[in-house]
Amino acid sequence: LRPDGSTFEADMRVIPVRYRGEPHVLTVVRDITERRQRERELQRSEARLRATVEAAFDCIISIDGEGRIVEFNGAAERCFGRTRADVLGLLLADVIIPERLRQGHRDGVRKFAHSGEGPFVGRLVETTAMRADGSEFPVEVAISVAAAPDGNIFVGHMRDITARRQAESQRSELETQLRQAQKMEAIGQLTGGIAHDFNN
């Protein structure tokens, strides 16, 4: 409490001392209002970011420079059948990448560490991912890189495109059926024309 009645947050150190042979207490007070304000702003910012990541419909998975998972949002939990608590700190390759594709992932992480370039970074690509039960499914992935004081963080936005692939397959099948029907119609018209000519 200041003399004018205003308050401030303080860090207090209380040290017992002897002065002229008598016990005393030395108190050191430091105003930490600005530091606490910055901490609260950082906490609010982190809470907003966490809420945004959790509200996303796409899977958001982040890994460090060694390929270990540092973020795994709710959409990723639902998609892959694994909880955030279970996967944090694990290698991404061992968690969601099919075994036949793992070496390529590891090579890509190493290549980026040396050259700053990777086959998936900054592009939208389609690949295959693996659920907790070992089943594989097609995904669309976009990876960006964020610089952090302790190394790069890779942020992946991933979307299950199984339904889209099925719709594309059905559309292709329907187009094939339509072309077949058009061929049969053309043959029918040709046959009808020939029969008519014969009749004449």
Side-chain angles (χ1 to χ4, degrees), residues 30-96:
R30 182 174 41 188
D31 184 347
I32 59 168
T33 305
E34 286 183 24
R35 187 181 83 193
R36 285 289 170 85
Q37 182 64 28
R38 284 193 304 271
E39 288 171 358
R40 283 191 290 270
E41 287 172 7
L42 180 61
Q43 288 170 348
R44 281 194 293 270
S45 176
E46 288 174 351
R48 283 193 300 269
L49 177 61
R50 180 99 220 122
T52 301
V53 167
E54 284 303 314
F57 289 114
D58 288 343
C59 303
I60 299 178
I61 302 171
S62 299
I63 62 171
D64 62 15
E66 296 176 0
R68 296 191 181 279
I69 298 172
V70 295
E71 183 56 65
F72 201 79
N73 75 341
E77 288 181 320
R78 292 184 294 277
C79 183
F80 290 99
R82 297 179 181 270
T83 66
R84 181 177 189 269
D86 289 341
V87 301
L88 288 182
L90 298 179
L91 290 170
L92 179 74
D94 296 338
V95 175
I96 68 165

Side-chain angles (χ1 to χ4, degrees), residues 17-166:
V17 295
R18 293 194 72 78
Y19 179 68
R20 295 185 181 171
E22 295 291 321
H24 286 74
V25 174
L26 173 65
T27 303
V28 179
V29 179
R30 182 174 41 188
D31 184 347
I32 59 168
T33 305
E34 286 183 24
R35 187 181 83 193
R36 285 289 170 85
Q37 182 64 28
R38 284 193 304 271
E39 288 171 358
R40 283 191 290 270
E41 287 172 7
L42 180 61
Q43 288 170 348
R44 281 194 293 270
S45 176
E46 288 174 351
R48 283 193 300 269
L49 177 61
R50 180 99 220 122
T52 301
V53 167
E54 284 303 314
F57 289 114
D58 288 343
C59 303
I60 299 178
I61 302 171
S62 299
I63 62 171
D64 62 15
E66 296 176 0
R68 296 191 181 279
I69 298 172
V70 295
E71 183 56 65
F72 201 79
N73 75 341
E77 288 181 320
R78 292 184 294 277
C79 183
F80 290 99
R82 297 179 181 270
T83 66
R84 181 177 189 269
D86 289 341
V87 301
L88 288 182
L90 298 179
L91 290 170
L92 179 74
D94 296 338
V95 175
I96 68 165
I97 298 177
E99 192 167 344
R100 69 182 186 285
L101 303 175
R102 289 177 186 169
Q103 191 56 49
H105 167 76
R106 291 183 188 107
D107 293 344
V109 171
R110 275 195 293 274
K111 180 181 178 186
F112 190 90
H114 294 298
S115 67
E117 295 177 3
F120 284 23
V121 176
R123 297 175 48 215
L124 184 63
V125 294
E126 291 184 8
T127 186
T128 303
M130 181 181 71
R131 299 188 204 281
D133 64 6
S135 62
E136 297 183 10
F137 63 102
V139 293
E140 189 175 68
V141 182
I143 298 174
S144 58
V145 181
D150 53 351
N152 289 327
I153 298 292
F154 298 88
V155 181
H157 294 258
M158 190 176 300
R159 179 176 295 163
D160 181 348
I161 58 171
T162 304
R164 187 172 81 193
R165 286 275 179 90
Q166 290 171 344

